Amino acid sequence: MVGKVLGIRDLEQFSSRRSSVYVDPECEKFFELPLFIAASSNDITTKCQCWQFSPGKEPALRSFTEIQQLLQQGKKHIVKNILRENSWPINSPIRSQLWPQLCAQHLTKSNVLDGFYWEMVHQVFGTTELSEKPIMLPAFVDATHCLPYHLTGTGRSVADRIVNVLGYDCPDITYSPVLYPITSLLLHFMSEEEAYLCLAGLVGSKEKTFINQTKLQHEVTWKTVMQIAKKHAKSAVAYFQRICPGQKLERVFMDWCWWILAGLPFQHLVRIMDCYFHEGIKVLYRVALVILNLFHKECQSNNEWSPDNIKNDIGNALIKFCKKIPVSPAKLLHAAFSIRGLSTQYISRIFIKTEMLLKSRSVLNSGSKQLIKSRSSDNLPTSQSQVNIQMMSHTLTIRELHSESCRNLGEKSPGHRAIAMGVYPIHNLKSQVCKNEDLFTLWSWLPVRITMYQPVLLYTTEEHGCSLTTFYVRVEQHEPTLLMIKTCNNEVFGAYCSSRWFERNVKDDKGQRQAYFGTGETFLFSLYPERAKYPWVGIEGDRDLGHSSELFMAADSKMITIGGGEGQAIWMDENIRFGKTDSCKTFNNPPLCPSGDFEIRVLEVYGFVGI
């Protein structure tokens, strides 16, 4: 569909031809808006401009060609503003090219060959013919929210097939209720193969989050929305708590995504998707906040939403309100993007704190019975039970050996010994930096999900030489990484780095490289002469933190830095020979070696297989 050059007659028949394939022809309400075409005779598709009719005013909407050129030039910030401001009608053919282009920029598999999808279809179903029999959906789909958006029976079968193939190609997906509705939306504007490639881009995106893929991520997301709403929709949240004190606020926010996907009219939803496919899930966060504030306002003036009518089921009332939302798509988005103080960094900080709190509650502070439960598919990257058991045994054995090492060193044991069930992943690790007992201590400090993976030595000065260039070549695409330093005075310290070192090259929306990157999962550690872990200061409480408390990682061709704010926790030069360590605000750490300056004897960097 996308690659074909269409003529005027083709464009006039665009909606009806598409509807005959995937979309129910009875739902003409989706295609009521007039379509105006201004194009040259040479390239009717890429130069079309579409607008909604407004007497006396014709806003000049941007064409696909213009947006494509801006994306190719890396001007994502300009594209972001265009997508926010240009209200293309629902029946505009621009989305048949625009949406695939927006999703393609997130694809990590740049070498996807033509015909890959159909080979996968044949591999999964044994044929490329669409079966007339119902297709069983993957376990990660929420059967109660398979929203078809007026697709035909054929369209729904195609959506079923796409989701199945995606599940086969991405076994890490264990719970993703929004995946099916987004598939249905894509099929309104493109072919089956294009819809699959769009989803592959959204699911595989490394820089931005689009679709949650586990129950843990799903829970962290709605709790993040709730935390953000307590600040940016404070009056609405307080109102809900006041009119139904017996109900938990959590019940309202658990269904936040369905306010948008199941509640909003189709024309609102399509415009939101225009921005979402470029900017990510933060667009949905903003829209959810506007919905809360609008609903609260209506509750004050409209008897339909009086406390007596909504107090028994605020969640359902919110969805009903969204179906009748009193603002246009343009006004909804304008309000959403006018919210101040809702930066990507702020959202990321809330998300990470929430995620780490949930993990610590369900794993680190639980008994052995709960520990086994936490190793279900909710927290693991795969749902295969054999992998679950194997991974759990790795961690249990580490805890057991760590307890032994603590007793041997005269330290207080962290608890009862766990029963060893398998071979732990650091069993064969031979480090030139630290001893086995230090490794056991270090492994007990790692995020629990990471201890389940086999570590692999990516870079060591002993074998690969002392060069920052070599360091980047061997390390930069791995996430996370573990840096361990041994100085010429035999001090041992380092850092767990949560993000790829390649992010030093990533540019922001203004085309500028960000000086610092990383997340609050990053931490520092010291193993000799002192044993200590220094986590991000943001984990300790809900207080607002300044920019100096969020300086996790930085790097360029001349140096590497971890931690910042009134000092750098770890700094190394381009020759990976000399470094220095200071106290810093990000981790509230003391200098990691007494003198502050150090000479590197050995640097080892580990990655983790299978992440």
Side-chain angles (χ1 to χ4, degrees), residues 421-446:
M421 296 172 58
V423 179
Y424 50 95
I426 56 174
H427 177 69
N428 295 318
L429 209 60
K430 302 298 182 184
S431 173
Q432 300 297 316
V433 173
C434 58
K435 302 175 182 178
N436 281 350
E437 57 265 28
D438 293 326
L439 285 174
F440 298 144
T441 298
L442 180 54
W443 239 249
S444 72
W445 291 338
L446 296 180

PDB file of all heavy atoms in Angstrom, residues 421-446:
ATOM      1  N   MET A 421      20.044 -24.827  44.877  1.00  0.00           N
ATOM      2  CA  MET A 421      19.292 -25.642  43.931  1.00  0.00           C
ATOM      3  C   MET A 421      19.978 -25.757  42.582  1.00  0.00           C
ATOM      4  O   MET A 421      19.465 -26.388  41.682  1.00  0.00           O
ATOM      5  CB  MET A 421      17.894 -25.037  43.730  1.00  0.00           C
ATOM      6  CG  MET A 421      17.046 -25.050  44.983  1.00  0.00           C
ATOM      7  SD  MET A 421      15.521 -24.121  44.735  1.00  0.00           S
ATOM      8  CE  MET A 421      14.819 -24.994  43.350  1.00  0.00           C
ATOM      9  N   GLY A 422      21.099 -25.092  42.397  1.00  0.00           N
ATOM     10  CA  GLY A 422      21.713 -25.140  41.077  1.00  0.00           C
ATOM     11  C   GLY A 422      23.053 -24.450  41.083  1.00  0.00           C
ATOM     12  O   GLY A 422      23.574 -24.064  42.114  1.00  0.00           O
ATOM     13  N   VAL A 423      23.621 -24.271  39.917  1.00  0.00           N
ATOM     14  CA  VAL A 423      24.923 -23.625  39.767  1.00  0.00           C
ATOM     15  C   VAL A 423      24.716 -22.130  39.642  1.00  0.00           C
ATOM     16  O   VAL A 423      23.905 -21.676  38.856  1.00  0.00           O
ATOM     17  CB  VAL A 423      25.649 -24.170  38.522  1.00  0.00           C
ATOM     18  CG1 VAL A 423      26.995 -23.487  38.351  1.00  0.00           C
ATOM     19  CG2 VAL A 423      25.820 -25.671  38.631  1.00  0.00           C
ATOM     20  N   TYR A 424      25.422 -21.352  40.427  1.00  0.00           N
ATOM     21  CA  TYR A 424      25.245 -19.912  40.397  1.00  0.00           C
ATOM     22  C   TYR A 424      26.041 -19.325  39.235  1.00  0.00           C
ATOM     23  O   TYR A 424      27.048 -19.874  38.807  1.00  0.00           O
ATOM     24  CB  TYR A 424      25.662 -19.289  41.737  1.00  0.00           C
ATOM     25  CG  TYR A 424      27.012 -19.717  42.236  1.00  0.00           C
ATOM     26  CD1 TYR A 424      28.138 -18.959  41.973  1.00  0.00           C
ATOM     27  CD2 TYR A 424      27.156 -20.899  42.960  1.00  0.00           C
ATOM     28  CE1 TYR A 424      29.382 -19.347  42.433  1.00  0.00           C
ATOM     29  CE2 TYR A 424      28.404 -21.287  43.424  1.00  0.00           C
ATOM     30  CZ  TYR A 424      29.508 -20.512  43.158  1.00  0.00           C
ATOM     31  OH  TYR A 424      30.727 -20.899  43.608  1.00  0.00           O
ATOM     32  N   PRO A 425      25.605 -18.169  38.690  1.00  0.00           N
ATOM     33  CA  PRO A 425      26.196 -17.665  37.444  1.00  0.00           C
ATOM     34  C   PRO A 425      27.613 -17.147  37.576  1.00  0.00           C
ATOM     35  O   PRO A 425      28.272 -16.921  36.567  1.00  0.00           O
ATOM     36  CB  PRO A 425      25.238 -16.531  37.041  1.00  0.00           C
ATOM     37  CG  PRO A 425      24.568 -16.129  38.299  1.00  0.00           C
ATOM     38  CD  PRO A 425      24.472 -17.365  39.117  1.00  0.00           C
ATOM     39  N   ILE A 426      28.139 -16.935  38.784  1.00  0.00           N
ATOM     40  CA  ILE A 426      29.516 -16.460  38.913  1.00  0.00           C
ATOM     41  C   ILE A 426      30.455 -17.584  39.343  1.00  0.00           C
ATOM     42  O   ILE A 426      31.582 -17.334  39.762  1.00  0.00           O
ATOM     43  CB  ILE A 426      29.606 -15.282  39.907  1.00  0.00           C
ATOM     44  CG1 ILE A 426      29.029 -15.675  41.281  1.00  0.00           C
ATOM     45  CG2 ILE A 426      28.904 -14.060  39.367  1.00  0.00           C
ATOM     46  CD1 ILE A 426      29.221 -14.600  42.327  1.00  0.00           C
ATOM     47  N   HIS A 427      29.979 -18.810  39.224  1.00  0.00           N
ATOM     48  CA  HIS A 427      30.759 -19.957  39.679  1.00  0.00           C
ATOM     49  C   HIS A 427      32.126 -20.023  39.001  1.00  0.00           C
ATOM     50  O   HIS A 427      33.139 -20.282  39.648  1.00  0.00           O
ATOM     51  CB  HIS A 427      29.975 -21.238  39.398  1.00  0.00           C
ATOM     52  CG  HIS A 427      30.722 -22.498  39.762  1.00  0.00           C
ATOM     53  ND1 HIS A 427      30.981 -22.841  41.069  1.00  0.00           N
ATOM     54  CD2 HIS A 427      31.269 -23.472  38.998  1.00  0.00           C
ATOM     55  CE1 HIS A 427      31.648 -23.982  41.095  1.00  0.00           C
ATOM     56  NE2 HIS A 427      31.837 -24.388  39.849  1.00  0.00           N
ATOM     57  N   ASN A 428      32.169 -19.758  37.702  1.00  0.00           N
ATOM     58  CA  ASN A 428      33.423 -19.892  36.949  1.00  0.00           C
ATOM     59  C   ASN A 428      34.087 -18.552  36.655  1.00  0.00           C
ATOM     60  O   ASN A 428      34.978 -18.466  35.811  1.00  0.00           O
ATOM     61  CB  ASN A 428      33.157 -20.621  35.627  1.00  0.00           C
ATOM     62  CG  ASN A 428      32.718 -22.057  35.851  1.00  0.00           C
ATOM     63  OD1 ASN A 428      33.279 -22.755  36.698  1.00  0.00           O
ATOM     64  ND2 ASN A 428      31.709 -22.492  35.104  1.00  0.00           N
ATOM     65  N   LEU A 429      33.640 -17.505  37.340  1.00  0.00           N
ATOM     66  CA  LEU A 429      34.181 -16.181  37.083  1.00  0.00           C
ATOM     67  C   LEU A 429      35.582 -16.052  37.693  1.00  0.00           C
ATOM     68  O   LEU A 429      35.772 -16.327  38.880  1.00  0.00           O
ATOM     69  CB  LEU A 429      33.249 -15.130  37.693  1.00  0.00           C
ATOM     70  CG  LEU A 429      33.212 -13.764  36.999  1.00  0.00           C
ATOM     71  CD1 LEU A 429      32.765 -13.910  35.557  1.00  0.00           C
ATOM     72  CD2 LEU A 429      32.260 -12.844  37.750  1.00  0.00           C
ATOM     73  N   LYS A 430      36.532 -15.655  36.874  1.00  0.00           N
ATOM     74  CA  LYS A 430      37.907 -15.473  37.334  1.00  0.00           C
ATOM     75  C   LYS A 430      38.268 -14.001  37.181  1.00  0.00           C
ATOM     76  O   LYS A 430      38.582 -13.522  36.099  1.00  0.00           O
ATOM     77  CB  LYS A 430      38.870 -16.342  36.513  1.00  0.00           C
ATOM     78  CG  LYS A 430      38.551 -17.834  36.550  1.00  0.00           C
ATOM     79  CD  LYS A 430      38.654 -18.419  37.956  1.00  0.00           C
ATOM     80  CE  LYS A 430      38.383 -19.922  37.945  1.00  0.00           C
ATOM     81  NZ  LYS A 430      38.382 -20.497  39.319  1.00  0.00           N
ATOM     82  N   SER A 431      38.207 -13.288  38.273  1.00  0.00           N
ATOM     83  CA  SER A 431      38.465 -11.854  38.248  1.00  0.00           C
ATOM     84  C   SER A 431      39.882 -11.544  38.725  1.00  0.00           C
ATOM     85  O   SER A 431      40.377 -12.154  39.670  1.00  0.00           O
ATOM     86  CB  SER A 431      37.453 -11.120  39.135  1.00  0.00           C
ATOM     87  OG  SER A 431      37.791  -9.759  39.251  1.00  0.00           O
ATOM     88  N   GLN A 432      40.497 -10.571  38.055  1.00  0.00           N
ATOM     89  CA  GLN A 432      41.809 -10.076  38.471  1.00  0.00           C
ATOM     90  C   GLN A 432      41.670  -8.899  39.431  1.00  0.00           C
ATOM     91  O   GLN A 432      42.666  -8.357  39.902  1.00  0.00           O
ATOM     92  CB  GLN A 432      42.615  -9.634  37.240  1.00  0.00           C
ATOM     93  CG  GLN A 432      42.863 -10.733  36.228  1.00  0.00           C
ATOM     94  CD  GLN A 432      43.701 -11.872  36.795  1.00  0.00           C
ATOM     95  OE1 GLN A 432      44.705 -11.634  37.481  1.00  0.00           O
ATOM     96  NE2 GLN A 432      43.290 -13.110  36.535  1.00  0.00           N
ATOM     97  N   VAL A 433      40.423  -8.512  39.702  1.00  0.00           N
ATOM     98  CA  VAL A 433      40.178  -7.339  40.545  1.00  0.00           C
ATOM     99  C   VAL A 433      39.816  -7.730  41.962  1.00  0.00           C
ATOM    100  O   VAL A 433      40.313  -7.156  42.929  1.00  0.00           O
ATOM    101  CB  VAL A 433      39.058  -6.460  39.934  1.00  0.00           C
ATOM    102  CG1 VAL A 433      38.672  -5.343  40.896  1.00  0.00           C
ATOM    103  CG2 VAL A 433      39.514  -5.881  38.599  1.00  0.00           C
ATOM    104  N   CYS A 434      38.932  -8.721  42.118  1.00  0.00           N
ATOM    105  CA  CYS A 434      38.481  -9.052  43.465  1.00  0.00           C
ATOM    106  C   CYS A 434      38.375 -10.559  43.662  1.00  0.00           C
ATOM    107  O   CYS A 434      38.318 -11.331  42.693  1.00  0.00           O
ATOM    108  CB  CYS A 434      37.144  -8.373  43.778  1.00  0.00           C
ATOM    109  SG  CYS A 434      35.815  -8.793  42.655  1.00  0.00           S
ATOM    110  N   LYS A 435      38.302 -10.961  44.907  1.00  0.00           N
ATOM    111  CA  LYS A 435      38.226 -12.365  45.277  1.00  0.00           C
ATOM    112  C   LYS A 435      36.792 -12.864  45.208  1.00  0.00           C
ATOM    113  O   LYS A 435      35.847 -12.080  45.095  1.00  0.00           O
ATOM    114  CB  LYS A 435      38.793 -12.555  46.684  1.00  0.00           C
ATOM    115  CG  LYS A 435      40.239 -12.093  46.845  1.00  0.00           C
ATOM    116  CD  LYS A 435      40.676 -12.194  48.292  1.00  0.00           C
ATOM    117  CE  LYS A 435      42.102 -11.687  48.475  1.00  0.00           C
ATOM    118  NZ  LYS A 435      42.532 -11.737  49.895  1.00  0.00           N
ATOM    119  N   ASN A 436      36.638 -14.198  45.327  1.00  0.00           N
ATOM    120  CA  ASN A 436      35.307 -14.787  45.232  1.00  0.00           C
ATOM    121  C   ASN A 436      34.346 -14.245  46.276  1.00  0.00           C
ATOM    122  O   ASN A 436      33.182 -13.968  45.979  1.00  0.00           O
ATOM    123  CB  ASN A 436      35.399 -16.313  45.344  1.00  0.00           C
ATOM    124  CG  ASN A 436      35.846 -16.955  44.051  1.00  0.00           C
ATOM    125  OD1 ASN A 436      35.912 -16.287  43.026  1.00  0.00           O
ATOM    126  ND2 ASN A 436      36.179 -18.227  44.086  1.00  0.00           N
ATOM    127  N   GLU A 437      34.822 -14.111  47.525  1.00  0.00           N
ATOM    128  CA  GLU A 437      33.915 -13.627  48.562  1.00  0.00           C
ATOM    129  C   GLU A 437      33.448 -12.196  48.277  1.00  0.00           C
ATOM    130  O   GLU A 437      32.326 -11.805  48.600  1.00  0.00           O
ATOM    131  CB  GLU A 437      34.554 -13.702  49.954  1.00  0.00           C
ATOM    132  CG  GLU A 437      35.863 -12.949  50.096  1.00  0.00           C
ATOM    133  CD  GLU A 437      37.068 -13.855  49.878  1.00  0.00           C
ATOM    134  OE1 GLU A 437      36.938 -14.847  49.128  1.00  0.00           O
ATOM    135  OE2 GLU A 437      38.115 -13.567  50.471  1.00  0.00           O
ATOM    136  N   ASP A 438      34.328 -11.395  47.624  1.00  0.00           N
ATOM    137  CA  ASP A 438      33.922 -10.044  47.226  1.00  0.00           C
ATOM    138  C   ASP A 438      32.880 -10.097  46.113  1.00  0.00           C
ATOM    139  O   ASP A 438      31.951  -9.278  46.074  1.00  0.00           O
ATOM    140  CB  ASP A 438      35.133  -9.241  46.759  1.00  0.00           C
ATOM    141  CG  ASP A 438      36.106  -8.956  47.888  1.00  0.00           C
ATOM    142  OD1 ASP A 438      35.635  -8.772  49.018  1.00  0.00           O
ATOM    143  OD2 ASP A 438      37.324  -8.936  47.640  1.00  0.00           O
ATOM    144  N   LEU A 439      33.048 -11.062  45.213  1.00  0.00           N
ATOM    145  CA  LEU A 439      32.067 -11.223  44.144  1.00  0.00           C
ATOM    146  C   LEU A 439      30.699 -11.587  44.698  1.00  0.00           C
ATOM    147  O   LEU A 439      29.667 -11.099  44.240  1.00  0.00           O
ATOM    148  CB  LEU A 439      32.528 -12.296  43.156  1.00  0.00           C
ATOM    149  CG  LEU A 439      33.655 -11.901  42.193  1.00  0.00           C
ATOM    150  CD1 LEU A 439      34.089 -13.103  41.379  1.00  0.00           C
ATOM    151  CD2 LEU A 439      33.216 -10.767  41.265  1.00  0.00           C
ATOM    152  N   PHE A 440      30.674 -12.456  45.718  1.00  0.00           N
ATOM    153  CA  PHE A 440      29.400 -12.833  46.320  1.00  0.00           C
ATOM    154  C   PHE A 440      28.729 -11.616  46.959  1.00  0.00           C
ATOM    155  O   PHE A 440      27.518 -11.420  46.843  1.00  0.00           O
ATOM    156  CB  PHE A 440      29.607 -13.925  47.376  1.00  0.00           C
ATOM    157  CG  PHE A 440      30.177 -15.200  46.819  1.00  0.00           C
ATOM    158  CD1 PHE A 440      31.071 -15.961  47.553  1.00  0.00           C
ATOM    159  CD2 PHE A 440      29.824 -15.631  45.551  1.00  0.00           C
ATOM    160  CE1 PHE A 440      31.597 -17.131  47.043  1.00  0.00           C
ATOM    161  CE2 PHE A 440      30.344 -16.798  45.028  1.00  0.00           C
ATOM    162  CZ  PHE A 440      31.239 -17.552  45.771  1.00  0.00           C
ATOM    163  N   THR A 441      29.519 -10.804  47.624  1.00  0.00           N
ATOM    164  CA  THR A 441      28.979  -9.575  48.209  1.00  0.00           C
ATOM    165  C   THR A 441      28.423  -8.668  47.124  1.00  0.00           C
ATOM    166  O   THR A 441      27.307  -8.150  47.231  1.00  0.00           O
ATOM    167  CB  THR A 441      30.081  -8.832  48.985  1.00  0.00           C
ATOM    168  OG1 THR A 441      30.540  -9.651  50.047  1.00  0.00           O
ATOM    169  CG2 THR A 441      29.552  -7.520  49.551  1.00  0.00           C
ATOM    170  N   LEU A 442      29.211  -8.472  46.069  1.00  0.00           N
ATOM    171  CA  LEU A 442      28.800  -7.590  44.984  1.00  0.00           C
ATOM    172  C   LEU A 442      27.523  -8.099  44.322  1.00  0.00           C
ATOM    173  O   LEU A 442      26.613  -7.323  44.024  1.00  0.00           O
ATOM    174  CB  LEU A 442      29.934  -7.479  43.962  1.00  0.00           C
ATOM    175  CG  LEU A 442      29.693  -6.578  42.738  1.00  0.00           C
ATOM    176  CD1 LEU A 442      29.276  -5.187  43.165  1.00  0.00           C
ATOM    177  CD2 LEU A 442      30.952  -6.538  41.881  1.00  0.00           C
ATOM    178  N   TRP A 443      27.454  -9.415  44.127  1.00  0.00           N
ATOM    179  CA  TRP A 443      26.266  -9.976  43.460  1.00  0.00           C
ATOM    180  C   TRP A 443      25.009  -9.802  44.308  1.00  0.00           C
ATOM    181  O   TRP A 443      23.910  -9.662  43.791  1.00  0.00           O
ATOM    182  CB  TRP A 443      26.492 -11.452  43.122  1.00  0.00           C
ATOM    183  CG  TRP A 443      26.360 -11.702  41.660  1.00  0.00           C
ATOM    184  CD1 TRP A 443      25.373 -12.406  41.031  1.00  0.00           C
ATOM    185  CD2 TRP A 443      27.232 -11.238  40.625  1.00  0.00           C
ATOM    186  NE1 TRP A 443      25.580 -12.407  39.676  1.00  0.00           N
ATOM    187  CE2 TRP A 443      26.725 -11.697  39.395  1.00  0.00           C
ATOM    188  CE3 TRP A 443      28.401 -10.482  40.617  1.00  0.00           C
ATOM    189  CZ2 TRP A 443      27.322 -11.427  38.184  1.00  0.00           C
ATOM    190  CZ3 TRP A 443      29.009 -10.201  39.411  1.00  0.00           C
ATOM    191  CH2 TRP A 443      28.470 -10.667  38.214  1.00  0.00           C
ATOM    192  N   SER A 444      25.180  -9.787  45.617  1.00  0.00           N
ATOM    193  CA  SER A 444      24.017  -9.588  46.487  1.00  0.00           C
ATOM    194  C   SER A 444      23.489  -8.161  46.400  1.00  0.00           C
ATOM    195  O   SER A 444      22.361  -7.883  46.809  1.00  0.00           O
ATOM    196  CB  SER A 444      24.380  -9.919  47.938  1.00  0.00           C
ATOM    197  OG  SER A 444      25.219  -8.923  48.501  1.00  0.00           O
ATOM    198  N   TRP A 445      24.300  -7.236  45.889  1.00  0.00           N
ATOM    199  CA  TRP A 445      23.880  -5.840  45.752  1.00  0.00           C
ATOM    200  C   TRP A 445      23.213  -5.566  44.405  1.00  0.00           C
ATOM    201  O   TRP A 445      22.556  -4.531  44.247  1.00  0.00           O
ATOM    202  CB  TRP A 445      25.088  -4.915  45.889  1.00  0.00           C
ATOM    203  CG  TRP A 445      25.672  -4.879  47.280  1.00  0.00           C
ATOM    204  CD1 TRP A 445      25.044  -5.211  48.442  1.00  0.00           C
ATOM    205  CD2 TRP A 445      27.002  -4.478  47.635  1.00  0.00           C
ATOM    206  NE1 TRP A 445      25.887  -5.043  49.505  1.00  0.00           N
ATOM    207  CE2 TRP A 445      27.109  -4.586  49.044  1.00  0.00           C
ATOM    208  CE3 TRP A 445      28.116  -4.040  46.919  1.00  0.00           C
ATOM    209  CZ2 TRP A 445      28.264  -4.271  49.740  1.00  0.00           C
ATOM    210  CZ3 TRP A 445      29.277  -3.720  47.606  1.00  0.00           C
ATOM    211  CH2 TRP A 445      29.357  -3.842  49.003  1.00  0.00           C
ATOM    212  N   LEU A 446      23.389  -6.438  43.422  1.00  0.00           N
ATOM    213  CA  LEU A 446      22.823  -6.200  42.095  1.00  0.00           C
ATOM    214  C   LEU A 446      21.298  -6.306  42.138  1.00  0.00           C
ATOM    215  O   LEU A 446      20.739  -6.986  43.007  1.00  0.00           O
ATOM    216  CB  LEU A 446      23.361  -7.218  41.093  1.00  0.00           C
ATOM    217  CG  LEU A 446      24.860  -7.200  40.798  1.00  0.00           C
ATOM    218  CD1 LEU A 446      25.206  -8.273  39.783  1.00  0.00           C
ATOM    219  CD2 LEU A 446      25.307  -5.827  40.302  1.00  0.00           C
TER     220      LEU A 446
END
